[in-house]
Amino acid sequence: MNKRTWLSFPYVLWIIGFTVIPLIVIFRYAFTTGDGGFTLENILTIFDPIHFKALVFSLEIAVGCTLICIILSYPLVLAMRRLKMGKSGVALFIIILPMWMNSILRIMAWQMILSPNGILNLILEKLGMKPLSIANTATAIMIGVVYDYLPYMILPVYNAVAEINEDIIEAAKDLGAGSITTFFKVILPLSMPGLLSGIVMVFVPSMTSFVVSDVLGGGKLQLVGNIIEQEFTKSANWNLGSGLSVFLMVFVMISMAFTLKNDVDGKESTVW
Amino acid sequence: MNDVILQLDSISKSFDGKMVIDNLDLEIKRNEFVTLLGPSGCGKSTTLRIIGGFAKPDTGRVLFNGKDITNLSPDKRNINTVFQKYSLFPHMTVEENIAFGLKLKHKSAQYIKDKIAYALKLVNMDHYGKRRPESLSGGQQQRVAIARAIVNEPDILLLDEPLGALDLKLRHSMQRELIKIKQEVGITFVYVTHDQEEALTMSDRIVVMNKGIIQQMGTSKSIYDEPQNAFVADFIGDSNIIDGVMVMDRLVEIQGTRIPCVDEGFGTNELVDVVIRPEDLKIVDAEKGYLKGMVVSIIFKGAYYEIKVRVQDYEWSIQSVNPATIGATVGLTILPENIQIMHKPLSVDAEVVKEDE
């Protein structure tokens, strides 16, 4: 045995105490009834119409949020690539800055902006336009999650794009590729590793979030996360909450496995 | 039909206030192999980037077949580049790399297939089509880069120190291959290098640049035999460059000794730079030479000995097939036609700059 193996003990303890045991507990709750008997009820309850509707809505929010983040990231990242070293550092700092602020605070701020008498409608009124009722809609939730998770897309995509050698982009132009062709044939495929980790880092938390929908959805629009939260708090039905959690975890793992598998395949297939 | 394919008309370019190219005029003829030669920072690469469209000149025009293309982007010019660092697309196979430009031009699948086969054969890389760039050596990657550029049948091929990253032996064989490829495809080549031997070997015409100014233009032979200033003499091959006084036509005084030469038309007692190639100096008995000095070092170089002889405060470099004895007093002699007399530079720009490459 290696002499330094004992150094890993704290981490092993950590993993057992905070990952393995909680997982076992959750799985135990998920597959048992209140009095301890085995059941699949808690898992299958996802097909209950209300739960299933929340799952579909969560999926819509997660997919939409991920796509919007991708579309917003690339123009910004490409612009930052053109900046000189120091300036791109400042730009990156400004982008990360909101991440260091309390997340509840950020979402509350959006509530203030979007509410019927909020800042947005105040501005629209001054401009002589009709007020919008965005608060408590899916749009409000979407704005919230995009704002929350955008930096998690920008950072890995920026790292991947910044790594692409300028020579390679010039070579594409040299061979007759315009800006759009260069982007789709060279920049996008070469930044794929960063894009994929960005997708994982945005899709998973937006799929499972509940705070954003709680505040910006006004409690009327429910994501799976909200239902799970309610099972644990209001209904005190830990078995049902755990069942839904296990389903959600497996669901996310499978969808991410598909995303990452495409990456491995992509390396061997042609880009054309 | 006009034989000039590309014309640079009073091009100037500066970066951060530093002049890189200073009012440069250059004409490149159809099917010519032109080499821009100079030390790093002399403006040769920037000149190439301006031709390729990757940099815009501050002033001046780029004319292609007489048409102004100064503001045309690189993808709209029928000019292709072979980059120093190969710059192959890492996410594509060799074939896909070569097909990139052709697919953008919407060529038929059969045409592309034939072109790939032809190009791979041309650069001696048949059977490598399915490989990925990272599995190839530097030399192989550069061959693919050349193939990728040539299949587009550009009017001009720009080569930016394409052999700079390769080892000496590979460089020599690639030089021969490039000449062969040039003859085969009949494209105008504009080549950038700081390696004077490479330039002398391959070019129809050499443009020696320093500090953004063309120092001399001409064939390899004329550049080597008749350098027009001390910079060119120093940069092209090894040279002894020493101050001299032109006593009268066909007589120059070096280190207090009057030596016959063939140059005329200088002023009486004009201060000049004298250039003598190491292979043109002969070691003779002490009393029989124009100059007398002591052998200070001798290095065996394979085909010849490199001998240093100190005469007063100057160390002459001599290449000789016969060895000499260190410490011996010897004489140096030279034929009149092997002495190259040059005017002293009028401005600092033409001054000799020694660069550590």
Side-chain angles (χ1 to χ4, degrees):
Chain A
M1 196 201 254
N2 193 307
K3 257 195 278 181
R4 297 213 176 86
T5 308
W6 60 270
L7 278 173
S8 68
F9 282 177
Y11 304 101
V12 172
L13 280 179
W14 177 278
I15 289 166
I16 291 171
F18 295 100
T19 307
V20 179
I21 293 175
L23 271 176
I24 290 171
V25 171
I26 286 180
F27 271 83
R28 213 185 90 83
Y29 274 113
F31 289 101
T32 54
T33 55
D35 45 22
F38 175 82
T39 180
L40 287 176
E41 274 300 295
N42 299 324
I43 308 286
L44 295 175
T45 183
I46 190 70
F47 296 109
D48 169 284
I50 296 172
H51 295 169
F52 196 71
K53 198 178 143 210
L55 178 72
V56 171
F57 183 51
S58 297
L59 201 58
E60 281 168 5
I61 289 287
V63 170
C65 170
T66 308
L67 286 178
I68 292 170
C69 285
I70 293 171
I71 293 165
L72 290 179
S73 304
Y74 270 97
L76 178 81
V77 161
L78 291 175
M80 276 165 62
R81 195 190 140 82
R82 291 175 165 271
L83 293 175
K84 294 221 171 103
M85 234 6 211
K87 279 185 186 164
S88 67
V90 172
L92 210 55
F93 177 74
I94 292 169
I95 289 159
I96 299 170
L97 205 55
M99 287 167 69
W100 295 342
M101 204 171 292
N102 184 291
S103 102
I104 304 285
L105 200 68
R106 277 180 282 167
I107 297 159
M108 300 287 261
W110 274 109
Q111 196 186 26
M112 299 282 286
I113 295 170
L114 299 175
S115 71
N117 303 318
I119 297 168
L120 179 67
N121 281 340
L122 202 71
I123 294 169
L124 288 177
E125 198 186 337
K126 292 266 185 228
L127 294 172
M129 286 190 274
K130 279 187 188 159
L132 293 170
S133 47
I134 294 177
N136 304 339
T137 63
T139 311
I141 297 175
M142 191 66 96
I143 290 172
V145 284
V146 167
Y147 182 80
D148 237 14
Y149 301 125
L150 185 59
Y152 296 96
M153 182 65 79
I154 290 172
L155 286 179
V157 170
Y158 174 73
N159 282 335
V161 168
E163 253 181 41
I164 301 173
N165 204 322
E166 187 64 32
D167 277 8
I168 296 206
I169 291 168
E170 286 193 349
K173 299 219 156 127
D174 185 76
L175 292 165
S179 302
I180 293 167
T181 316
T182 304
F183 176 76
F184 283 107
K185 295 275 189 256
V186 178
I187 295 173
L188 189 62
L190 285 180
S191 61
M192 202 47 87
L195 178 61
L196 287 174
S197 52
I199 288 173
V200 172
M201 281 159 74
V202 171
F203 180 83
V204 177
S206 57
M207 178 86 197
T208 56
S209 81
F210 65 93
V211 178
V212 176
S213 50
D214 220 26
V215 177
L216 294 177
K220 289 177 209 127
L221 290 157
Q222 289 193 312
L223 296 176
V224 180
N226 299 99
I227 294 182
I228 294 171
E229 186 218 357
Q230 282 160 19
E231 294 302 337
F232 276 98
T233 55
K234 291 197 189 104
S235 320
N237 189 344
W238 286 28
N239 301 88
L240 193 57
S242 300
L244 291 174
S245 294
V246 167
F247 176 86
L248 191 60
M249 194 174 94
V250 173
F251 183 85
V252 165
M253 275 163 64
I254 290 170
S255 43
M256 286 306 101
F258 269 106
T259 313
L260 298 177
K261 183 179 172 294
N262 278 336
D263 173 40
V264 178
D265 287 350
K267 276 199 177 130
E268 295 308 317
S269 73
T270 78
V271 271
W272 293 88
Chain B
M1 194 170 170
N2 193 349
D3 218 28
V4 174
I5 188 164
L6 189 95
Q7 189 187 352
L8 299 181
D9 178 21
S10 334
I11 297 281
S12 292
K13 176 84 183 169
S14 53
F15 290 115
D16 301 326
K18 192 177 169 281
M19 199 65 133
V20 181
I21 300 175
D22 191 358
N23 204 22
L24 180 120
D25 287 303
L26 179 64
E27 283 188 349
I28 292 164
K29 294 194 182 68
R30 206 173 299 280
N31 212 356
E32 196 179 20
F33 195 135
V34 178
T35 299
L36 307 180
L37 174 67
S40 48
C42 74
K44 58 189 193 300
S45 284
T46 306
T47 307
L48 201 75
R49 289 177 64 79
I50 286 172
I51 299 174
F54 297 110
K56 276 207 183 97
D58 298 336
T59 59
R61 296 182 308 158
V62 183
L63 301 174
F64 179 78
N65 279 333
K67 240 175 38 210
D68 190 339
I69 59 161
T70 317
N71 292 314
L72 210 59
S73 61
D75 52 304
K76 302 215 166 56
R77 301 183 182 201
N78 199 17
I79 295 173
N80 286 119
T81 310
V82 176
F83 296 88
Q84 183 176 9
K85 290 180 205 134
Y86 328 133
S87 304
L88 297 177
F89 304 121
H91 58 301
M92 300 181 195
T93 63
V94 167
E95 279 180 358
E96 286 165 345
N97 264 282
I98 297 173
F100 191 88
L102 298 174
K103 283 190 172 157
L104 289 175
K105 287 185 192 125
H106 305 292
K107 300 285 187 190
S108 75
Q110 188 58 44
Y111 178 89
I112 292 174
K113 205 173 150 238
D114 292 346
K115 269 284 181 187
I116 291 172
Y118 164 78
L120 283 176
K121 203 167 166 54
L122 187 69
V123 297
N124 264 327
M125 291 284 290
D126 343 34
H127 314 305
Y128 284 91
K130 304 283 182 219
R131 297 275 287 271
R132 295 218 154 231
E134 77 253 16
S135 72
L136 303 177
S137 70
Q140 289 171 329
Q141 289 192 43
Q142 197 55 289
R143 284 159 200 262
V144 175
I146 292 166
R148 182 178 70 174
I150 279 176
V151 287
N152 300 291
E153 297 175 357
D155 291 307
I156 302 175
L157 186 68
L158 307 177
L159 300 107
D160 187 7
E161 308 215 18
L163 311 182
L166 307 180
D167 66 62
L168 191 67
K169 203 168 169 198
L170 192 56
R171 212 149 68 205
H172 285 154
S173 73
M174 285 291 284
Q175 286 169 12
R176 283 193 293 277
E177 275 187 57
L178 271 174
I179 296 170
K180 202 191 87 193
I181 291 169
K182 165 84 177 62
Q183 284 160 356
E184 165 96 22
V185 296
I187 297 171
T188 309
F189 273 37
V190 182
Y191 195 97
V192 158
T193 183
H194 61 257
D195 181 339
Q196 42 102 2
E197 190 209 324
E198 204 166 281
L200 293 172
T201 312
M202 300 200 289
S203 325
D204 296 328
R205 192 156 60 108
I206 297 176
V207 179
V208 185
M209 293 181 69
N210 189 36
K211 298 192 171 175
I213 293 173
I214 294 178
Q215 303 288 331
Q216 188 172 353
M217 254 191 286
T219 61
S220 302
K221 192 159 165 51
S222 74
I223 297 260
Y224 190 82
D225 288 347
E226 296 146 35
Q228 276 164 16
N229 60 38
F231 172 78
V232 177
D234 184 58
F235 195 73
I236 306 286
D238 298 320
S239 278
N240 297 290
I241 302 173
I242 190 166
D243 291 336
V245 179
M246 206 63 190
V247 182
M248 52 188 262
D249 277 355
R250 291 187 241 175
L251 192 65
V252 63
E253 188 180 304
I254 308 165
Q255 295 186 312
T257 306
R258 292 183 176 196
I259 302 172
C261 60
V262 293
D263 297 81
E264 297 175 352
F266 289 83
T268 306
N269 289 331
E270 184 185 334
L271 285 172
V272 290
D273 280 327
V274 180
V275 173
I276 299 174
R277 297 283 179 197
E279 65 268 28
D280 292 334
L281 281 164
K282 297 264 174 305
I283 294 179
V284 293
D285 289 343
E287 301 310 321
K288 288 183 182 164
Y290 292 115
L291 302 165
K292 190 161 79 170
M294 191 179 72
V295 178
V296 290
S297 76
I298 173 161
I299 300 165
F300 181 57
K301 290 275 195 176
Y304 59 88
Y305 293 93
E306 189 177 288
I307 301 164
K308 301 267 188 202
V309 173
R310 175 172 286 281
V311 178
Q312 297 166 27
D313 58 350
Y314 185 79
E315 250 180 42
W316 291 88
S317 175
I318 301 137
Q319 288 173 9
S320 163
V321 289
N322 301 314
T325 319
I326 291 177
T329 302
V330 295
L332 295 177
T333 182
I334 174 123
L335 294 173
E337 60 267 32
N338 286 338
I339 297 177
Q340 181 71 27
I341 310 284
M342 295 172 310
H343 291 284
K344 284 274 184 194
L346 295 172
S347 70
V348 287
D349 286 338
E351 201 99 54
V352 175
V353 176
K354 294 217 176 183
E355 294 263 346
D356 296 316
E357 292 288 349

